[in-house]
């Protein structure tokens, strides 16, 4: 394979005309690696910025503090420890725009800044000689008291007892089954949940269900709770809404004890525009960490955009990744907003047709592409078992191929078209209008040798303004007919059946990984809506109603156990890590989809009224077959129409592109 960045064209011949662009991209990446080696002393030193910048306590308990603020003419450290006196601790500026100072320990040998006391950096700017106060950019703890102000305070975090991790990281799972979760909404009560509650109450649920990976949302500190964590203000601070940094460490450590990998939903695609408690206008300019002018602003998100082509912002972001990996023991990242990063137009009002010219033109933000290549290259070299997932809707070729081949280096991309398709079908089509060919196309339409994480719904579909699959399927009857003591109405019967089938066919056919948003495994009722002005700051919909799945009289338990059965079966048969399925049948009239994967035959009957007693299914693998998983099983609120003690034997004979076939009973949906 060529070593000039065009190796991906060997895998995907459609990239052949774009080899010069791939080679140019790879040269830019190599140039940055050389610059990091020369000026940053290599990845290892360059990505440890948090040990140089910000606050660091030395062995003798002296404290060093450094901050990059090139526009400022002078700076001083102020805080409760010096009564906010601007002349008490002035800082010196070096030739690179970095202010620094060292504070000796107290007479009794303790750090001069008490643990959990408030601090700020105060700077003078040349434009007006005005003084501006900012939260330190590398601060690791910020707190908010809404009774006083919505603006965060930075605190010096130096607890006397450091958290000691007890469990080692799990090995990288071959079949990634992701449980997407938000600590704050994980409480059943109408309030913000905590790290400790998640550790005690939610981790056991996730482990029971059989998920091997957790994706934690809204961990990086964000000023506005209702932003779902996507308006980050302090990049090195774990959100204090949910507890202390040590509480989060314990959560991750405990998950590792269950053998569960933990990913951070990292937001490097943009930053909150807050000035007083964010990075915006940090040194008095609009271009300290960001692009200046219009290029530094995302108009739709009303946020700031990083300058990925500048040395210090790059060090800040790459060090941020390492910080979460080393200090909190995260196992990888789901990169938010990758489409916005990849293109100067951010994907706004741009319909990607799949033509390769859309991925190699002046609209591509090559600086952002280079950053993502550097980030993935570093992470894979430093942490062999790391997992990185890209949230990209554009279909950028080679996004999930190794950097050495000319790819961008992610392990997985999210199959974002899949949930959109299911919702569109439920909204706009009657059951008999569902097209089996379209379902198969959407679930199998992915780039060769680039892994996808498939999902039927995520947090996006749960948000107010949309509905979960369960709510689209059963709507108001979820309030009246989800008890085993009530009649099984046709709406609930249909909804429960399709909820199981949609999730299972997505799981089995849609990718090389699977994702579920917390609560949706049991058909969580209603939607998700954070407290805000429009709902009188209500927490009613910003929680998870675990009581409905724990109530043995309610039918949510059937969906929960079905979800568990899917994960357990996959852990045994490993279809997610097997080659893509061979689809033998997608019959529009019969509403049948059949395919083979991992030595299993998957059969789905989406017909509302038609059952089949001896339906012929083709297979490449002759032999005896038995039922492994059955959505019609009564323990999943099915009707028990399939005998599980029956063996099915194949017969020779060409059928549906296969050399063998067998006949099976397939009840109506």
């Amino acid at each position: 394979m060529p070593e000039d960045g065009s190796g991906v064209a060997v895998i995907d011949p459609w990239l052949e005309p774009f080899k010069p662009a791939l080679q140019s991209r790879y040269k830019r990446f190599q140039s940055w690696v050389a610059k990091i080696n020369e000026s940053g002393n290599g990845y290892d030193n360059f990505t440890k910025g948090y040990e140089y910048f910000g606050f660091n306590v030395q062995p003798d308990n002296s404290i060093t503090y450094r901050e990059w603020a090139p526009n400022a003419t002078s700076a001083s450290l102020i805080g409760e420890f010096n009564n906010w006196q601007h002349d008490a601790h002035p800082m010196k500026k070096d030739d690179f725009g970095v202010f620094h100072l060292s504070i000796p320990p107290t007479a009794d040998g303790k750090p001069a800044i008490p643990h959990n006391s408030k601090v700020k950096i105060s700077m003078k700017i040349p434009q007006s000689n005005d003084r501006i106060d900012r939260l330190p950019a590398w601060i690791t703890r910020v707190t908010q008291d809404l009774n006083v102000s919505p603006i965060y305070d930075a605190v010096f975090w130096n607890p006397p007892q450091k958290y000691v991790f007890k469990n080692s990281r799990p090995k990288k799972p071959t079949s990634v089954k992701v449980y997407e979760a938000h600590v704050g909404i994980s409480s059943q009560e109408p309030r913000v949940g905590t790290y400790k509650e998640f550790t005690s109450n939610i981790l056991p649920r996730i482990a029971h269900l059989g998920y091997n990976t957790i994706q934690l949302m809204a961990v990086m500190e964000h000023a506005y709770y209702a932003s779902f964590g996507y308006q980050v203000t302090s990049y090195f601070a774990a959100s204090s809404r949910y507890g202390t940094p040590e509480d989060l460490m314990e959560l991750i450590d405990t998950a590792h004890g269950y053998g569960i990998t933990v990913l951070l939903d990292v937001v490097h695609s943009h930053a909150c525009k807050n000035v007083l408690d964010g990075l915006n206008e940090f040194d008095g300019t609009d271009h300290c960490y960001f692009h200046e002018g219009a290029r530094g602003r995302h108009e739709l998100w009303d946020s700031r955009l990083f300058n990925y082509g500048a040395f210090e912002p790059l060090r800040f972001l790459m060090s941020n990744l390492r910080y979460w990996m080393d200090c909190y023991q995260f196992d990888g990242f789901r990169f938010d907003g990758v489409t916005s990063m990849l293109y100067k137009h951010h994907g706004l009002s741009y319909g990607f047709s799949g033509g390769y010219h859309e991925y190699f033109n002046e609209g591509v933000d090559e600086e952002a592409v280079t950053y993502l290549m550097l980030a993935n290259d570093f992470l894979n070299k430093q942490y062999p078992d790391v997992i990185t997932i890209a949230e990209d809707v554009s279909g950028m070729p080679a996004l999930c191929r190794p950097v050495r081949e000319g790819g961008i280096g992610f392990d997985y991309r999210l199959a974002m078209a899949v949930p959109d398709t299911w919702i569109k079908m439920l909204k706009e089509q009657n059951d008999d209008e569902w097209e089996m060919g379209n379902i198969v196309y959407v679930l199998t339409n992915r780039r060769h040798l680039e892994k996808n994480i498939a999902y039927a719904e995520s947090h996006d579909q749960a948000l107010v303004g949309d509905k979960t699959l369960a709510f689209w399927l059963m709507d108001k009857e979820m309030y009246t007919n989800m008890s085993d003591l009530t009649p099984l109405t046709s709406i609930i019967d249909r909804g429960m059946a399709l909820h199981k089938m949609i999730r299972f066919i997505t799981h089995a056919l849609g990718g090389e990984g699977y994702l579920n948003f917390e609560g949706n495994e049991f058909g969580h009722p209603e939607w998700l809506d954070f407290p805000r002005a429009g709902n009188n700051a209500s927490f009613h919909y910003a929680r998870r109603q675990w009581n409905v799945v724990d109530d043995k009289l309610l039918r949510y338990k059937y969906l929960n156990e079905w979800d568990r059965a899917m994960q357990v079966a996959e852990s045994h048969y490993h279809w997610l890590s097997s080659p893509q399925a061979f689809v033998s049948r997608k019959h529009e009239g019969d509403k049948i989809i059949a395919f083979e994967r991992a030595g299993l035959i998957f059969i789905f009957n989406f017909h509302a009224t038609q059952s089949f007693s001896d339906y012929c299914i083709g297979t490449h693998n002759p032999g005896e077959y038995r039922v492994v998983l059955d959505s019609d099983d009564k323990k999943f609120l099915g009707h028990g129409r399939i005998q599980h003690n029956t063996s099915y034997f194949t017969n020779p004979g060409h059928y549906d592109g296969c050399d063998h076939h067998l006949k099976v009973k397939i009840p109506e949906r």
Side-chain angles (χ1 to χ4, degrees):
M1 183 172 285
E3 298 181 359
D4 61 356
S6 65
V8 289
V10 176
I11 298 170
D12 184 354
W14 289 97
L15 286 169
E16 190 70 27
F18 303 97
K19 286 175 68 173
L22 289 166
Q23 291 163 343
S24 175
R25 179 177 294 177
Y26 194 68
K27 283 181 180 178
R28 189 177 295 104
F29 159 76
Q30 289 179 311
S31 175
W32 261 107
V33 171
K35 187 182 296 186
I36 289 171
N37 288 335
E38 179 182 346
S39 302
N41 294 319
Y43 276 153
D44 189 53
N45 183 72
F46 186 69
T47 57
K48 288 181 179 176
Y50 54 88
E51 293 183 356
Y52 182 78
F53 291 97
F55 293 93
N56 285 283
V57 180
Q58 304 305 311
D60 66 351
N61 276 338
S62 62
I63 299 171
T64 61
Y65 172 55
R66 293 185 180 90
E67 202 73 71
W68 180 64
N71 180 62
T73 56
S74 65
S76 59
L77 178 64
I78 59 175
E80 292 176 326
F81 78 103
N82 65 7
N83 295 316
W84 304 100
Q85 296 178 36
H86 290 92
D87 57 354
H89 290 87
M91 303 176 71
K92 295 181 180 179
K93 186 178 184 182
D94 67 16
D95 294 338
F96 300 99
V98 176
F99 287 92
H100 59 92
L101 88 162
S102 178
I103 307 174
T106 61
D108 57 357
K110 295 180 179 179
I113 307 177
H115 165 62
N116 205 27
S117 61
K118 296 176 183 178
V119 291
K120 283 185 179 181
I121 181 172
S122 185
M123 297 171 281
K124 283 192 174 182
I125 55 175
Q127 291 89 337
S128 60
N129 205 34
D130 287 341
R131 183 176 293 280
I132 59 174
D133 293 346
R134 298 287 186 265
L135 302 195
W138 299 72
I139 196 71
T140 59
R141 176 75 168 168
V142 295
T143 57
Q144 183 185 49
D145 185 351
L146 290 174
N147 293 319
V148 177
S149 169
I151 299 172
Y152 272 89
D153 293 309
V155 298
F156 176 72
W157 194 254
N158 184 35
Q161 294 295 323
K162 311 299 183 187
Y163 186 84
V164 178
F165 287 88
K166 305 174 185 65
N167 300 297
S168 58
R169 285 189 170 111
K171 287 292 184 183
K172 185 176 184 176
T174 55
S175 298
V176 175
K177 297 184 282 288
V178 182
Y179 195 88
E180 183 184 38
H182 183 292
V183 171
I185 69 164
S186 296
S187 172
Q188 186 172 299
E189 301 171 19
R191 58 173 174 80
V192 177
T194 69
Y195 296 124
K196 281 192 169 294
E197 290 170 338
F198 192 96
T199 301
S200 300
N201 304 330
I202 310 305
L203 285 182
R205 293 180 183 272
I206 299 171
H208 171 76
L209 287 168
Y211 288 90
N212 57 23
T213 305
I214 297 172
Q215 176 187 304
L216 281 182
M217 307 176 64
V219 169
M220 303 166 78
E221 193 59 272
H222 47 291
Y224 185 39
Y225 187 48
S227 74
F228 225 140
Y230 294 123
Q231 291 280 342
V232 176
T233 45
S234 293
Y235 278 75
F236 290 82
S239 182
S240 58
R241 287 182 179 86
Y242 322 130
T244 68
E246 290 69 33
D247 293 343
L248 176 57
M249 293 174 189
E250 181 186 30
L251 187 162
I252 296 167
D253 193 17
T254 306
H256 287 168
Y258 281 110
I260 297 174
T261 293
V262 186
L263 307 181
L264 174 68
D265 195 351
V266 70
V267 187
H268 284 183
S269 50
H270 66 129
C272 180
K273 71 174 185 179
N274 284 15
V275 173
L276 296 180
D277 56 2
L279 291 177
N280 193 19
E281 299 181 17
F282 183 77
D283 67 349
T285 68
D286 74 337
H287 56 269
C288 185
Y289 285 95
F290 310 113
H291 286 291
E292 62 181 325
R295 190 179 176 191
R297 288 171 171 78
H298 197 295
E299 297 303 325
L300 182 63
W301 294 345
D302 194 25
S303 55
R304 298 305 312 274
L305 300 174
F306 286 101
N307 182 354
Y308 304 107
F311 193 84
E312 290 302 341
L314 198 64
R315 189 206 312 253
F316 181 86
L317 294 172
M318 292 186 69
S319 296
N320 189 235
L321 297 174
R322 183 164 192 168
Y323 171 79
W324 292 109
M325 294 290 290
D326 284 1
C327 297
Y328 284 89
Q329 296 289 294
F330 277 98
D331 303 295
F333 303 96
R334 179 260 200 191
F335 280 73
D336 176 67
V338 169
T339 302
S340 177
M341 297 174 72
L342 292 174
Y343 308 96
K344 295 174 184 175
H345 52 68
H346 310 302
L348 301 177
S349 302
Y350 192 96
F352 290 95
S353 67
Y356 278 49
H357 65 283
E358 297 171 338
Y359 309 116
F360 301 96
N361 56 43
E362 292 182 354
V364 175
D365 190 334
E366 294 294 349
E367 291 178 350
V369 171
T370 302
Y371 162 63
L372 293 172
M373 293 172 73
L374 289 166
N376 280 304
D377 186 55
F378 157 68
L379 287 169
N380 279 280
K381 287 177 177 175
Q382 184 69 24
Y383 313 97
D385 285 336
V386 72
I387 296 173
T388 60
I389 302 169
E391 187 206 27
D392 171 49
V393 72
S394 74
M396 168 68 80
L399 184 70
C400 300
R401 293 303 304 172
V403 173
R404 66 179 180 274
E405 297 176 1
I408 296 177
F410 286 98
D411 292 292
Y412 300 89
R413 65 155 42 94
L414 293 174
M416 299 178 71
V418 173
D420 291 344
T421 297
W422 288 123
I423 295 297
K424 182 179 176 64
M425 289 167 56
L426 291 172
K427 286 173 64 175
E428 300 178 3
Q429 295 179 335
N430 296 322
D431 294 0
D432 58 2
E433 295 175 322
W434 286 20
E435 298 176 1
M436 302 299 102
N438 182 57
I439 293 173
V440 169
Y441 172 77
V442 171
L443 290 173
T444 58
N445 181 29
R446 52 190 184 271
R447 297 199 179 279
H448 181 54
L449 297 180
E450 294 194 47
K451 293 185 289 187
N452 277 17
I453 290 181
Y455 55 105
E457 53 186 339
S458 71
H459 68 273
D460 289 325
Q461 287 71 40
L463 287 171
V464 63
D466 205 339
K467 296 180 183 179
T468 62
L469 285 180
F471 223 56
W472 276 114
L473 288 164
M474 295 176 279
D475 205 40
K476 61 183 179 182
E477 286 210 12
M478 295 187 76
Y479 296 114
T480 58
N481 289 84
M482 285 299 280
S483 170
D484 278 333
L485 302 179
T486 60
L488 182 63
T489 66
S490 59
I491 289 177
I492 296 297
D493 189 26
R494 168 185 177 269
M496 298 285 281
L498 285 177
H499 195 275
K500 290 179 287 183
M501 293 177 66
I502 287 171
R503 296 169 76 81
F504 190 33
I505 195 171
T506 300
H507 200 311
L509 188 59
E512 291 69 38
Y514 178 76
L515 179 144
N516 166 71
F517 178 63
E518 74 173 308
N520 288 348
E521 67 272 12
F522 61 82
H524 194 283
E526 303 177 324
W527 51 90
L528 180 62
D529 190 13
F530 286 90
R532 54 188 173 85
N535 63 14
N536 295 318
S538 172
F539 280 88
H540 181 73
Y541 296 109
R543 61 193 178 104
R544 296 286 88 179
Q545 299 180 46
W546 304 109
N547 57 298
V548 301
V549 70
D550 293 340
D551 190 329
K552 301 305 180 185
L553 290 178
L554 297 183
R555 289 167 172 153
Y556 298 95
K557 64 181 181 287
Y558 301 117
L559 297 180
N560 194 68
E561 287 308 305
W562 171 253
D563 197 88
R564 180 176 187 271
M566 289 194 303
Q567 315 314 326
V568 171
E570 198 290 324
S571 295
H572 184 77
Y573 293 101
H574 310 292
W575 60 73
L576 289 173
S577 57
S578 298
Q580 193 163 331
F582 174 80
V583 180
S584 60
R585 173 152 289 233
K586 41 187 177 180
H587 196 285
E588 299 298 345
D590 296 343
K591 301 297 181 188
I592 296 286
I593 295 174
F595 56 90
E596 291 182 293
R597 193 176 186 187
L600 300 173
I601 299 174
F602 296 83
I603 306 168
F604 294 84
N605 181 6
F606 284 96
H607 206 293
T609 58
Q610 182 66 56
S611 297
F612 304 93
S613 57
D614 286 299
Y615 201 86
C616 197
I617 299 292
T619 177
H620 289 98
N621 303 307
E624 177 186 357
Y625 286 83
R626 297 178 69 89
V627 173
V628 170
L629 195 57
D630 171 21
S631 65
D632 197 49
D633 194 318
K634 288 186 177 181
K635 66 183 178 182
F636 307 126
L637 198 64
H639 297 279
R641 292 167 291 190
I642 296 175
Q643 297 297 317
H644 291 186
N645 58 359
T646 300
S647 292
Y648 300 87
F649 295 91
T650 61
N651 293 304
H654 191 76
Y655 194 82
D656 282 350
C658 304
D659 292 330
H660 307 270
H661 61 271
L662 71 165
K663 292 187 176 181
V664 296
K665 179 181 179 180
I666 313 175
E668 66 192 59
R669 181 199 67 209

